[in-house]
């Protein structure tokens, strides 16, 4: 009864979800890779831009794609809304569910702020200057999708909107990777 349109990504690896361990491992590894990319590649590429680059890199590392994914093993909700008897209250009644709810919201906020700080840093470096406006726009799009996710959840479309946020964020980080490789 799981629906990608109505149910969140976190429901896919909640306690009792089929195949949850596979997703936990994959997401945890992805978090480690994003942190390694931010610190090992993006920071050296933008270091000359000073404090905005440092703040942007740190925010990316602690975002939902970095620290948020790295801690997936500790963020498992108590049940899936697709399962009979599961409620939102039951999902967050566990430590994992509470962590998931808190870290997901803070993690997306960190991702959005990271984009704006990185755009400021990019403006300071001639070779990165063409990337500044697209980076700021990317952060604005992710913010708009995140707000839409909050609104759409009441209409049963929260899963779909959450996936749009996820795709936009992954595309933005991938674009940063391309930028580091090219420059």
């Amino acid at each position: 009864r799981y629906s990608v349109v109505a149910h969140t990504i976190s429901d896919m690896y909640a306690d009792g979800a089929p195949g949850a361990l596979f997703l936990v491992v994959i997401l945890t590894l992805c978090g480690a890779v994003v942190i390694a990319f931010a610190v090992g590649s993006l920071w050296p590429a933008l270091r000359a831009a000073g404090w905005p680059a440092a703040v942007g890199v740190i925010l990316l590392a602690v975002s939902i794609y970095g620290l948020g994914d790295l801690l997936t093993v500790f963020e498992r909700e108590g049940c899936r809304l697709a399962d009979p008897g599961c409620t939102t209250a039951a999902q967050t009644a566990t430590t994992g569910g509470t962590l998931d709810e808190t870290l997901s919201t803070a993690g997306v906020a960190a991702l959005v702020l990271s984009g704006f700080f990185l755009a400021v840093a990019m403006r300071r470096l001639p070779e990165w200057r063409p990337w500044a406006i697209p980076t700021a726009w990317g952060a604005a799009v992710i913010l708009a999708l995140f707000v839409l996710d909050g609104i759409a959840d009441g209409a049963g479309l929260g899963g779909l909107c959450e996936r749009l946020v996820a795709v936009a964020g992954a595309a933005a980080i991938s674009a940063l990777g391309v930028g580091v490789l090219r420059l």
Side-chain angles (χ1 to χ4, degrees):
R1 297 180 345 150
Y2 180 82
S3 167
V4 295
V5 173
H7 300 122
T8 67
I9 295 168
S10 299
D11 281 13
M12 294 190 319
Y13 58 86
D15 290 338
L21 183 58
F22 175 77
L23 289 173
V24 169
V25 170
I26 295 298
L27 289 171
T28 301
L29 291 173
C30 287
V33 168
V34 169
I35 292 170
F37 164 71
V39 174
S41 296
L42 190 58
W43 171 241
L46 295 175
R47 181 182 311 192
W51 71 268
V55 172
V57 166
I58 290 167
L59 286 169
L60 178 59
V62 301
S63 76
I64 193 162
Y65 290 91
L67 188 62
D69 280 353
L70 184 68
L71 297 177
T72 297
V73 70
F74 303 109
E75 299 176 37
R76 296 186 68 190
E77 296 174 336
C79 59
R80 297 181 320 150
L81 288 177
D83 295 335
C86 183
T87 64
T88 304
Q91 283 185 314
T92 58
T94 63
T95 302
T98 301
L99 276 173
D100 180 66
E101 184 176 46
T102 304
L103 293 176
S104 293
T105 301
V108 174
L111 178 68
V112 169
L113 288 172
S114 170
F116 290 123
F117 277 99
L118 291 173
V120 170
M122 289 171 181
R123 279 194 196 108
R124 293 178 168 200
L125 302 173
E127 66 274 18
W128 280 95
R129 200 165 288 133
W131 291 76
I133 291 174
T135 299
W137 272 105
V141 166
I142 293 168
L143 176 60
L145 289 170
F146 186 56
V147 170
L148 179 63
D149 178 33
I151 295 168
D153 194 37
L157 299 173
L160 175 63
C161 291
E162 184 176 280
R163 282 163 176 77
L164 292 175
V165 171
V167 167
I173 294 169
S174 297
L176 284 173
V178 168
V180 169
L181 283 173
R182 293 180 88 196
L183 301 174

